[in-house]
Amino acid sequence: MQRSLRRIKHRIKRLVTSYVSPLGWAVTGLAIASLIAFTILSWHELLTMAIVFACMMVAAIMLSLGNTSFTATIDVSSRRVTVSDTVKVDVCVDNPGRTPTTSARGDLPIGDSHERFSIPMLAAGQSRQTTVEFTAVSRAVLPVGPLSIRKGDPFGLVRHEKKLVDQINVFIHPKTVMLNTLNAGIPRDLEGQPSGEIVDDDLDFYGLREYEPGDDVRNVHWLSSAKTGALMIRQYEATRRTDTALTISVNPDDYVSSDEFELAVSVHASIGVQCLLQNRPVTSHAGTEHIMPRNSTEFLDGCSAISPDISDNPNLAQTTLAHAPDSSFYYITVGRLKNIDEIKHMALALPRSATCVVLQTAIGQPRAIKRYADFTLATVGNLDDLPMIMGVLE
């Protein structure tokens, strides 16, 4: 019984709060206060105020009544676009009932902005379609929706809001450029780069040892076992896989401007897309986000969500190695304010058998390549410089 009463009370509270706005509650409070003051002071002006406020609330309630049993759908021209592309959002509002609906207003959030449009009275089975267009100005994961309808009075005293469609996300991918085939490190990896770690199953044969319970009998070297009279197990030296680790600094203090940060994201994305097109395993690191994308679309979706983070670990190699310690190739993208001593310190932490390329974005600066003992530093002043830089490095 108590549970039923609480449920009814909750429904009544939700119904009232969805209809009466804060301004409406204020007007209602003034009407009650004026009436109470009139009974005490007998001022007819207070009675007049109470009547006016009460009439406003009654009129607001009458104007907000009506059938709002709409259904709606949202359809976007593309869920994945690139910066500067135009996106169309088709909003279709239907009246599935048997009675006409009242007029209302639709509210469609697009990112931080709101697109508001009127919904006329719809007869039974009638629908109304509205198209909203916007240009993808900057890289982002842009929420579209949820679509809601609003019905209320012109004074804003009483309102009724109803969510019709849930939010959908539009991925605005960064600009990228096509790169030639990335061949650096491939011959070494196909041959199998020894790591010094002895394992029981790999490509590079190392030696033999006696059988231990639990060993895979497929690794038994039968000829040696026959000679020694005991089962002998093959051992191998672990090899490094053809993995590529992509890391980008998301600390805004490493960049001169937001445009330079966006250039870094585009460089990061271009290299990752090319690696995935070549079917090379990739791990991507951006701040606290670490992903292993299966394809270029999934990777670009992750790039759309990259955002500046002042708390990003300045030692990018440390966070990278925590998730990709066995990569054969490391690409690290930083801004021009990243100190060369910090870059050298990062490179020293990476495996010596791996190859490291640090790409430093500096808008307006000429492209350049400088080779150090443990890494190669490339300066990227424009995204169009990247294909030539990568071609020289390969």
Side-chain angles (χ1 to χ4, degrees):
M1 184 67 179
Q2 291 181 351
R3 182 178 298 178
S4 299
L5 290 175
R6 285 198 301 268
R7 188 177 301 170
I8 294 172
K9 182 179 179 181
H10 175 70
R11 289 182 178 179
I12 293 174
K13 182 179 179 181
R14 186 174 59 182
L15 180 66
V16 172
T17 54
S18 65
Y19 274 89
V20 182
S21 68
L23 181 60
W25 286 114
V27 171
T28 303
L30 288 173
I32 296 173
S34 299
L35 185 61
I36 294 174
F38 169 73
T39 59
I40 298 174
L41 302 175
S42 299
W43 293 357
H44 289 84
E45 292 84 357
L46 293 172
L47 178 61
T48 303
M49 290 176 60
I51 294 173
V52 169
F53 289 141
C55 289
M56 288 178 63
M57 286 302 301
V58 171
I61 292 172
M62 294 298 293
L63 290 172
S64 65
L65 296 177
N67 178 20
T68 57
S69 299
F70 298 101
T71 60
T73 58
I74 298 178
D75 185 30
V76 296
S77 56
S78 179
R79 293 285 186 95
R80 291 170 173 85
V81 298
T82 307
V83 175
S84 301
D85 287 350
T86 299
V87 182
K88 292 184 179 180
V89 183
D90 294 323
V91 180
C92 185
V93 181
D94 301 295
N95 175 14
R98 298 181 179 180
T99 58
T101 64
T102 185
S103 60
R105 292 193 62 82
D107 179 53
L108 179 67
I110 300 178
D112 294 330
S113 62
H114 287 256
E115 188 70 27
R116 295 180 175 88
F117 52 91
S118 60
I119 303 174
M121 296 178 61
L122 299 178
Q126 191 177 7
S127 63
R128 169 69 181 269
Q129 182 166 320
T130 301
T131 300
V132 178
E133 288 189 8
F134 67 91
T135 301
V137 177
S138 60
R139 174 189 55 82
V141 179
L142 188 70
V144 177
L147 173 66
S148 59
I149 60 164
R150 294 179 177 180
K151 176 65 177 175
D153 65 287
F155 313 112
L157 303 180
V158 177
R159 67 185 181 192
H160 172 50
E161 294 186 11
K162 179 182 178 182
K163 186 174 75 171
L164 298 181
V165 181
D166 289 332
Q167 170 186 306
I168 60 176
N169 289 327
V170 175
F171 294 91
I172 304 176
H173 292 165
K175 291 182 178 180
T176 57
V177 290
M178 292 298 296
L179 303 177
N180 293 326
T181 302
L182 301 178
N183 294 319
I186 295 296
R188 179 201 66 200
D189 291 317
L190 289 177
E191 293 293 330
Q193 177 66 32
S195 66
E197 181 183 359
I198 306 305
V199 295
D200 291 331
D201 188 15
D202 213 301
L203 298 176
D204 195 23
F205 179 72
Y206 177 76
L208 299 170
R209 64 170 175 82
E210 290 190 6
Y211 173 84
E212 294 179 0
D215 284 339
D216 191 343
V217 294
R218 290 176 297 179
N219 291 330
V220 173
H221 194 276
W222 295 107
L223 182 59
S224 299
S225 299
K227 290 180 179 179
T228 61
L231 289 178
M232 303 300 293
I233 300 294
R234 296 183 183 91
Q235 283 191 297
Y236 302 85
E237 191 171 17
T239 57
R240 193 176 299 281
R241 296 185 302 165
T242 311
D243 288 358
T244 301
L246 303 175
T247 304
I248 181 173
S249 170
V250 296
N251 192 330
D253 290 341
D254 286 350
Y255 300 90
V256 170
S257 63
S258 59
D259 290 338
E260 191 171 278
F261 178 76
E262 291 303 318
L263 174 59
V265 175
S266 293
V267 169
H268 175 81
S270 299
I271 297 174
V273 167
Q274 184 58 44
C275 289
L276 290 165
L277 290 177
Q278 294 178 217
N279 295 320
R280 293 174 62 173
V282 168
T283 55
S284 175
H285 315 277
T288 57
E289 296 297 322
H290 308 277
I291 62 173
M292 297 183 64
R294 293 165 294 181
N295 50 57
S296 58
T297 301
E298 184 179 343
F299 173 67
L300 288 173
D301 287 350
C303 290
S304 297
I306 293 176
S307 58
D309 184 2
I310 194 69
S311 62
D312 186 27
N313 187 348
N315 190 347
L316 301 174
Q318 183 178 1
T319 54
T320 302
L321 290 172
H323 297 85
D326 297 323
S327 294
S328 59
F329 215 97
Y330 292 88
Y331 288 103
I332 301 177
T333 306
V334 298
R336 79 169 80 186
L337 298 182
K338 193 72 170 178
N339 190 285
I340 186 62
D341 292 332
E342 290 181 312
I343 296 175
K344 290 179 179 179
H345 181 68
M346 288 190 306
L348 284 173
L350 299 174
R352 290 187 175 273
S353 59
T355 301
C356 175
V357 173
V358 178
L359 299 119
Q360 192 168 39
T361 57
I363 293 179
Q365 295 297 312
R367 57 179 176 267
I369 296 176
K370 190 172 183 180
R371 301 185 185 275
Y372 293 85
D374 301 303
F375 67 99
T376 300
L377 178 65
T379 301
V380 184
N382 188 287
L383 186 59
D384 295 331
D385 294 338
L386 188 61
M388 184 174 293
I389 290 173
M390 298 306 296
V392 173
L393 292 176
E394 300 305 328

